Structures are given as C-alpha cells and as structure tokens.
Amino acid sequence: MTDIQTEAKKSLIVVSRALVLIVIMFIAVVGIFLGLLFDAGPSQQVKMSGGSSALGPTGTPITTTSSAPVAEKPISNTLWQAPDESKLPEGSERELILYGKDLIAHTAKYLGPRGTVAAISNGMNCQNCHLDAGTKPWGNNYSAVYSTYPKFRARSGTNETVVKRINDCFERSLNGKPLDSTSKEMEAMIAYMKWLGSGVEKGKQPEGVGLKKLAYLDRPADPKKGAAVYSNKCVTCHGSAGEGISTPDKTEYLFPPLWGKNSYNDGAGLYRISNFASYVRNNMPLGANHENPQLSEEESWDVAAYVNSQSRPHKDQSRDWKDYSKKPIDFPFGPYADKFTEKEHKLGPFNAIASFYKKEN
C-alpha cells in the first residue's frame, strides 16, 4: 500500500468516527427531549402556539391545565373588566346606554363650544380623563360609580348623587356649566355608568378602579425636570404650549390641551399632583398601561409638577372643604389645618405632611 493510500485510509477512519459520534449525540439529545416531553405530567405540558395541544406518547392530544403557561407575559385577570357590549339589553335601553357611551367618548360633539345639543363645556371629552370611555383599568374608569353613589364627599361636605358628581366634572374638568339633571343626556350617561358597574356589588370597589396611586417622593416634585420629560414624551400629542390637537372640524380634541384657556381648571381632580402623577404613570404616553409603564415614578411626579405649574382657568373654591383637616395633603390652596405652606402642599415633599395628619388622627 502506498503512502497516499495509507493517509487516505486514516482520514476516512477519522471522518467515519466523527460522523458516528455526531449521530450518537443527536440520538441522545432527541431521546432526552422526547423523554421530557412524554414523561411530563399534564400540569407540565405547555400549550402550543396557535391553539393546538401537546401530544402524548400515542399521538393523542393532552389536555393542559390552567396552570400551564400560555403567554410570554402573564396578564392580570383580577382587575375589573367592562361588560361585553354584545350582552347589552335590547331596545330603547340599549340605545340609551350606547348614547351615554358616545357622550362620554365625544362629549364636545354634543356639549362643547360647537355642540349639537348645548354649548356648556370647553371642548374636552370626558374620556380625556376617563380613558376608553371610562373602561380602562387604572385609567380613572367608572366601575364603582354606581356601586358607591350616593356618598358623602368631604369637599362639598354633603351626600352627593351621581348627578352631582357628573356635574362636578362639567364644572371643573370641562371648565363649563352643569348639565340639566332632567335631560336625556344626563339620563344616558347615568345609564351607561350603571351598566358598566352592573357586576359590582353595592358599596364595593373592584380592583383597578380609579387611579393606582404612587408612593410619595422624598423630595419636592421638580417642574424643571418635568419640562424635560414633557419635551421628550408628551409634546408630540399635546403641543409645545400644552394646546393639544383638535379634530379637523374643530369640534373636539384628538389629544386634549393640558393647560391654557381650553384645559381643565384648577378645581379639577387632575390639578392635584398625586392624581396627575398616578394618571400618567399608568396610562401615558400613548400605549402605556399599568403593566407596561413608559415613565418612571420620579418622571411622573416631575411632569405632573410641570403641567400643573402652567396657567389655566381658575374656579372659585371658597365653598369647598368646610373642614380643613379633610383636605387632601396635596390640595394646592389654603387655608390648612397644619403649618405647611401652599408650595409644600402643591409639590411636596409629602411624607412629613402625611405623618402630621396620621398623628393627629
């Protein structure tokens, strides 16, 4: 045998051994995978994408249990969800509820400066503050309106009805006039809110209602830092002067003004910095939610300080808060039942104020 033949034979042996080793390793890996798949109990089987079930040793489908992971990120199923519109009652009741929803979503279309029913508000829509027509978890939704009203509210010092609460929003958040309590529009809005809360027990508040409040900062909220946040995250939709973006026909806003003559006045709930910070943290910028926030908590406090430091309409609140000790600690107007200044009540830090009232109580 020549030297060339000898070397060729040695190379062939090396290659053959390598191929055999690769085949053995492949078989071993496949065996381990199949063993894990077939030996796993039902609770370990993972439902395949596309909705098909995993297969057992005989090729028959294995029913997965509820504990099996079916999504990349678990979604909370404990938060309140709005009722299914396909289950709305029929006839005139259905029409009234849907009219109420449209009034919430497009308030200005009916009741704004160019409203087809009346001109009693500033051009903003109720859903600018109560997102997705009042149905978004932690988006200031209406889930507990009908279950908790009538109720005593310290701001007015009276037992308030749903009608009073709705008109508070017209006079403060929409900087307008109260809606006729006997009107079809008031009836429709109440019908819609009642339907949204139809699965909520009387006197109860479901998880996800209102706003998911943030922990207080250990410093005052900073309007200057907030200006940078606004410029980076908010200006595209709300404008460099907070003017918002209106529809082409100017009847309502696609994105609401955050300050100026057409925005909410200083008696609105969002003028309290803790409310605004909580609102933007879990809902803004567009596309954010409580599971996927786009702003940090500090950014949320700071941008709230910036927005609420801008000029806006003023509301006479001299009749509010007859008991000063009941004012929220971030209510920005005195007098107070404590020694802290208006600036401290507006921007914080709030922990010392909270501690004061905790001791008093």
Side-chain angles (χ1 to χ4, degrees):
M1 182 178 294
T2 65
D3 291 339
I4 294 176
Q5 288 176 320
T6 300
E7 290 299 320
K9 186 175 181 179
K10 289 181 179 179
S11 298
L12 181 61
I13 291 171
V14 172
V15 171
S16 298
R17 287 175 177 174
L19 288 173
V20 170
L21 183 61
I22 291 171
V23 170
I24 291 172
M25 292 177 65
F26 176 80
I27 292 172
V29 171
V30 171
I32 293 171
F33 174 79
L34 292 176
L36 290 173
L37 178 63
F38 294 153
D39 291 342
S43 64
Q44 294 173 297
Q45 298 294 334
V46 179
K47 193 169 183 181
M48 304 298 196
S49 62
S52 61
S53 299
L55 300 179
T58 62
T60 56
I62 295 176
T63 302
T64 61
T65 67
S66 60
S67 62
V70 296
E72 291 184 4
K73 181 175 182 179
I75 304 299
S76 173
N77 59 0
T78 62
L79 295 182
W80 172 82
Q81 298 294 324
D84 187 345
E85 283 193 18
S86 67
K87 298 179 181 179
L88 276 168
E90 297 298 326
S92 59
E93 185 178 0
R94 174 189 178 89
E95 292 177 2
L96 189 67
I97 291 170
L98 290 178
Y99 182 41
K101 178 183 179 181
D102 207 42
L103 283 161
I104 297 296
H106 304 288
T107 317
K109 173 183 173 183
Y110 302 98
L111 301 166
R114 301 184 182 184
T116 57
V117 175
I120 61 171
S121 64
N122 60 3
M124 292 176 65
N125 299 317
C126 293
Q127 78 168 1
N128 292 146
C129 299
H130 304 277
L131 294 174
D132 299 342
T135 66
K136 186 178 180 182
W138 302 124
N140 227 5
N141 63 63
Y142 296 131
S143 59
V145 170
Y146 210 79
S147 68
T148 57
Y149 280 85
K151 71 177 180 182
F152 178 82
R153 298 190 74 213
R155 183 170 69 184
S156 66
T158 63
N159 284 311
E160 295 186 6
T161 62
V162 176
V163 171
K164 163 66 174 169
R165 186 67 189 89
I166 290 173
N167 274 335
D168 263 0
C169 282
F170 270 97
E171 294 183 69
R172 296 168 186 263
S173 298
L174 300 182
N175 192 39
K177 301 174 182 178
L179 179 63
D180 182 353
S181 62
T182 63
S183 66
K184 180 182 179 181
E185 286 66 38
M186 178 65 79
E187 183 184 2
M189 294 171 81
I190 292 174
Y192 175 62
M193 293 177 188
K194 180 179 180 180
W195 175 74
L196 285 181
S198 57
V200 180
E201 184 181 348
K202 191 67 177 175
K204 301 294 184 180
Q205 294 191 23
E207 185 179 359
V209 67
L211 300 171
K212 190 175 184 180
K213 299 307 280 287
L214 304 183
Y216 296 133
L217 296 180
D218 58 4
R219 62 168 175 83
D222 189 337
K224 290 184 179 179
K225 291 181 178 179
V229 177
Y230 185 88
S231 179
N232 291 331
K233 301 288 188 177
C234 314
V235 71
T236 301
C237 294
H238 298 288
S240 59
E243 71 274 18
I245 299 176
S246 62
T247 55
D249 62 3
K250 307 295 183 183
T251 58
E252 57 184 315
Y253 284 96
L254 292 173
F255 300 103
L258 297 185
W259 63 85
K261 63 184 179 65
N262 295 326
S263 188
Y264 57 88
N265 64 42
D266 59 14
L270 285 183
Y271 193 64
R272 283 177 51 202
I273 191 174
S274 67
N275 286 342
F276 197 103
S278 301
Y279 182 84
V280 299
R281 164 68 174 172
N282 294 291
N283 298 288
M284 297 292 154
L286 195 65
N289 59 40
H290 68 282
E291 292 179 319
N292 299 288
Q294 296 184 32
L295 299 179
S296 69
E297 292 194 9
E298 286 201 3
E299 286 176 324
S300 301
W301 281 104
D302 289 337
V303 78
Y306 173 69
V307 169
N308 282 339
S309 294
Q310 309 304 311
S311 63
R312 65 185 63 256
H314 172 67
K315 177 174 175 57
D316 178 12
Q317 300 170 60
S318 58
R319 296 183 180 180
D320 292 350
W321 308 108
K322 295 178 176 59
D323 183 348
Y324 299 150
S325 68
K326 302 300 183 184
K327 284 185 177 182
I329 63 174
D330 61 335
F331 191 78
F333 301 116
Y336 303 108
D338 58 59
K339 62 181 180 180
F340 299 95
T341 66
E342 278 195 352
K343 184 176 181 180
E344 288 174 302
H345 277 281
K346 182 172 183 175
L347 298 176
F350 296 113
N351 285 315
I353 307 176
S355 296
F356 171 85
Y357 283 102
K358 186 177 182 180
K359 291 178 181 177
E360 288 294 307
N361 292 329

